[in-house]
Amino acid sequence: MLDQGAPPNRTLTVPSSVGARLMRRKPVERLVAEGGQGEGGSLRRSLGLWQLTMISIGATLGTGIFVVLGEAVPKAGPAVTISFVIAGLTALFSALSYAELAGTIPVSGSSYSYAYATMGELIAWVCGWCLILEYGVSVAAVAVGWGEYLNELLKGTIGVTIPAALSAPPGDGGVFNLPALIVVLLAMTFLLGGAKESARANTIMVCVKIAALVLFCAIGVQGFRSGNYSHFMPLGMGGVSAAGATLFFSYIGFDAASTAGEEAKNAQRDLPRAIMLSLVIVTALYVLVAAVAVGAKPWRQFNDSEAALAQIMREVTGQSFWGTLLAFCAVIAIASVVLTVLYGQTRILFAMSRDGLVPKAFSRVHPKSGAPRVNTVIVSLFCGVLAAAIPLGQLADATSIGTLFAFALVNVAVVMLRRTRPSMHRTFRVPLSPVLPAIGFVLCVWMMGSLSTVTWVVFGIWMAVGLVFYFVYGYRRSRLAAPESPATAAH
C-alpha cells in the first residue's frame, strides 16, 4: 500500500540532457503497477511466508559452511567464528534496509529496483550489474563445492570418484568440472516447472541440510579439543576481516528472498519477516558449526578442501559412514543453494528486461508454467559453464565484492526514500535511521577494502564492461527514454 497523500503518477517526459537521462528515476507506483508483468504472460503469486523463508535459508545456508569454510579457516585461524559474526552483523544492517524496502517496493528487481526508484537509472544499472555478478558467480562457486561432496559420497558408497580432469576446473588440476555443470542443469529443470514447484523442492532440501548440520555438531563436538583454540587469532584482525569478506557471500540468501516480490501472495507483509527470520537462523547455525569444526581439527590442517565437514566427521569417528552420510546431505543441501540463487538471478534479469535495459527475451513468461523459461535456460547455461571452468576461490571473492557493493547502495536507498517519500506506508521500518543504514554502508565499504587486489581488478573490468553495455544498449532502449504509455499511467 502506497502513501495516500502522494501526488498522482504523472506521464514521464524524455529528459533533454544526457545527465538528466542518466539520473531519471522510476516512480514507485509504476514499479509496483508493473509487478509480475512480462512479455506474453505474468508471474504467478503463489509463495507464502514459509516458502519465502525457505528460499532465503535455501540460498544462504550451506555456502559458507559446506563449501568455503576450508578456505576461510587458513585466513583467520580459530577466530573464523568471529569472521562469521562480523559477516553476519554486516549482513544484518543491510538486511534491515532490505526488509524496509522489500515491504515498501515489493518487486522482483531487489536492490536494482530500489536504486531505480531512489538514485536514478545509471546507479540502478550499476547495482543490477553487480547483482548479476553476485548471483551468477555465486551459483558457479557453490556448484564447484557440490562436485567435491559428490566425490566424497561416491568414494564412501561405491569406492570410486570422478577423475580430477572431469571434477575440477582449469587451475585446480582439472580440465572441466562436469559435476558443477550437472547440478546447475538440475536446478534449471526445477525452475522451468514454475516458482511453486521449485519452492516445494527447495523446502525439502532445506530440511535435509539443517538436519545434516545438527548431526555434524552432535558428532563433531566429541572430537573437540580446547587446545585448538590456544592461539585464537594467529593472523590478527587483518586475517579475521579477510576471512569475513570471503564468507560474506554466504549471507546473500535474504537478497534472494527479496527477488520473489512479484510471486509472493502478500509481499509487503511476508518479505520483511522472511528476511529477518532467515538471517537469524542462518547466522546461529554458521557460528555453531564453525566453532565445532575448529575445535575438532587444528586450524593449520584445513587445506582449502571444499568438503571439510565430511573429512572432520570421518576423522572424529574413525569411520567412513558418518562422513559419507554428511556428504550425501551436503550434496542435497548445496543443490538447494544453486536452485534458489539461480532463481534470484533470473528474477533480477526479468526486472531489468522489463525496464528495457537488457533484451526482451529475459522477461518472456511461459503462459503455462508462469516462469521466464528463456531467461532460465540462458542464465543456467552461462552459470554452468562458468562453474566448470573457474576455480572456487576466485569465484567466492568476486561474489563477495558484488554483494557488498549492492548492499551498500541499498543502505543509501532506504535513507533517500525516507527523505523523498516520508509519508509512504511501510510495513517495516529500520530502527534508528539513518544511523543503522550508515553503519551498514560503512561496514560494507570496510569489508570491500579487505578483498585482494586481484578481486578489485576483476570487479573494475566487470563494471567497465557493464557500462559499455549500458551506453550501447540500455541507455537508448530504456522504457523511461520514451513517454509513459497511457495504459501504464492509468495504473
Side-chain angles (χ1 to χ4, degrees):
M1 179 178 177
L2 303 174
D3 53 312
Q4 302 300 318
N9 229 9
R10 297 172 182 170
T11 300
L12 298 177
T13 57
V14 182
S16 56
S17 68
V18 174
R21 293 183 68 177
L22 295 177
M23 296 300 294
R24 56 197 172 198
R25 291 180 293 176
K26 189 170 183 179
V28 174
E29 291 81 4
R30 183 170 174 180
L31 279 167
V32 176
E34 293 177 353
Q37 299 176 22
E39 293 289 326
S42 299
L43 302 177
R44 296 174 182 173
R45 294 192 177 274
S46 58
L47 306 178
L49 175 61
W50 172 251
Q51 290 89 347
L52 292 171
T53 304
M54 290 298 102
I55 287 175
S56 186
I57 295 177
T60 310
L61 188 59
T63 50
I65 289 296
F66 285 109
V67 179
V68 188
L69 184 64
E71 290 200 358
V73 172
K75 294 181 180 180
V80 71
T81 52
I82 296 181
S83 299
F84 271 112
V85 172
I86 291 174
L89 287 175
T90 303
L92 175 61
F93 286 111
S94 297
L96 292 170
S97 295
Y98 262 101
E100 176 169 327
L101 292 174
T104 308
I105 313 174
V107 293
S108 291
S110 186
S111 52
Y112 155 77
S113 295
Y114 310 152
Y116 213 163
T118 57
M119 290 177 275
E121 185 171 285
L122 179 61
I123 301 299
W125 168 262
V126 170
C127 187
W129 194 245
C130 284
L131 290 175
I132 293 174
L133 177 67
E134 170 191 337
Y135 281 91
V137 177
S138 179
V139 168
V142 178
V144 172
W146 187 82
E148 291 285 332
Y149 275 99
L150 180 63
N151 261 339
E152 287 284 330
L153 177 61
L154 293 175
K155 181 180 178 180
T157 52
I158 60 178
V160 299
T161 59
I162 302 173
L166 295 178
S167 62
D172 278 358
V175 177
F176 191 80
N177 194 329
L178 183 61
L181 176 62
I182 290 174
V183 71
V184 175
L185 295 181
L186 287 174
M188 178 189 74
T189 303
F190 281 111
L191 291 175
L192 291 176
K196 186 176 182 180
E197 291 72 14
S198 302
R200 184 181 296 114
N202 173 66
T203 298
I204 296 173
M205 290 188 283
V206 167
C207 292
V208 170
K209 77 168 74 177
I210 292 177
L213 292 177
V214 172
L215 174 66
F216 170 81
C217 291
I219 294 178
V221 74
Q222 299 176 28
F224 192 91
R225 300 290 183 272
S226 59
N228 291 338
Y229 279 91
S230 58
H231 299 288
F232 184 68
M233 199 180 296
L235 302 176
M237 276 304 298
V240 172
S241 62
T246 297
L247 292 169
F248 188 80
F249 98 109
S250 308
Y251 288 89
I252 67 171
F254 63 84
D255 191 9
S258 70
T259 65
E262 295 174 23
E263 291 163 286
K265 296 177 182 177
N266 191 338
Q268 290 185 306
R269 182 196 66 187
D270 292 340
L271 281 178
R273 296 179 181 181
I275 288 171
M276 300 309 300
L277 180 61
S278 63
L279 187 62
V280 170
I281 294 172
V282 166
T283 302
L285 280 171
Y286 274 171
V287 174
L288 178 62
V289 173
V292 171
V294 176
K297 184 174 183 176
W299 71 273
R300 294 184 184 276
Q301 295 181 18
F302 282 79
N303 55 359
D304 290 349
S305 170
E306 283 83 36
L309 297 191
Q311 292 178 359
I312 292 173
M313 292 274 277
R314 187 168 56 248
E315 293 168 1
V316 169
T317 63
Q319 302 175 9
S320 61
F321 170 77
W322 295 108
T324 302
L325 178 60
L326 185 73
F328 169 75
C329 294
V331 166
I332 297 175
I334 296 174
S336 76
V337 180
V338 175
L339 173 66
T340 49
V341 177
L342 191 64
Y343 167 85
Q345 173 72 97
T346 60
R347 271 48 180 183
I348 294 291
L349 284 168
F350 176 87
M352 296 177 73
S353 173
R354 186 172 55 204
D355 292 333
L357 302 186
V358 298
K360 290 184 177 180
F362 289 97
S363 58
R364 190 173 301 143
V365 177
H366 191 272
K368 184 176 181 180
S369 66
R373 287 192 170 182
V374 175
N375 180 345
T376 301
V377 171
I378 294 174
V379 171
S380 300
L381 292 178
F382 173 80
C383 292
V385 172
L386 189 67
I390 305 296
L392 171 63
Q394 298 175 22
L395 291 174
D397 285 347
T399 303
S400 293
I401 197 168
T403 305
L404 287 164
F405 190 88
F407 284 10
L409 291 180
V410 168
N411 284 297
V412 175
V414 74
V415 174
M416 294 187 67
L417 193 62
R418 285 275 193 101
R419 292 180 178 274
T420 57
R421 301 293 295 276
S423 60
M424 179 176 291
H425 176 71
R426 291 167 170 83
T427 56
F428 176 85
R429 299 177 71 90
V430 179
L432 302 177
S433 180
V435 176
L436 294 190
I439 294 175
F441 176 84
V442 171
L443 285 174
C444 288
V445 173
W446 173 61
M447 294 193 74
M448 288 177 70
S450 300
L451 294 170
S452 66
T453 303
V454 174
T455 301
W456 275 96
V457 171
V458 172
F459 181 67
I461 295 173
W462 175 258
M463 295 310 302
V465 171
L467 289 174
V468 170
F469 185 90
Y470 170 72
F471 283 108
V472 170
Y473 186 92
Y475 176 76
R476 303 181 187 281
R477 295 175 181 265
S478 168
R479 290 185 60 190
L480 292 190
E484 187 179 356
S485 67
T488 305
H491 276 286

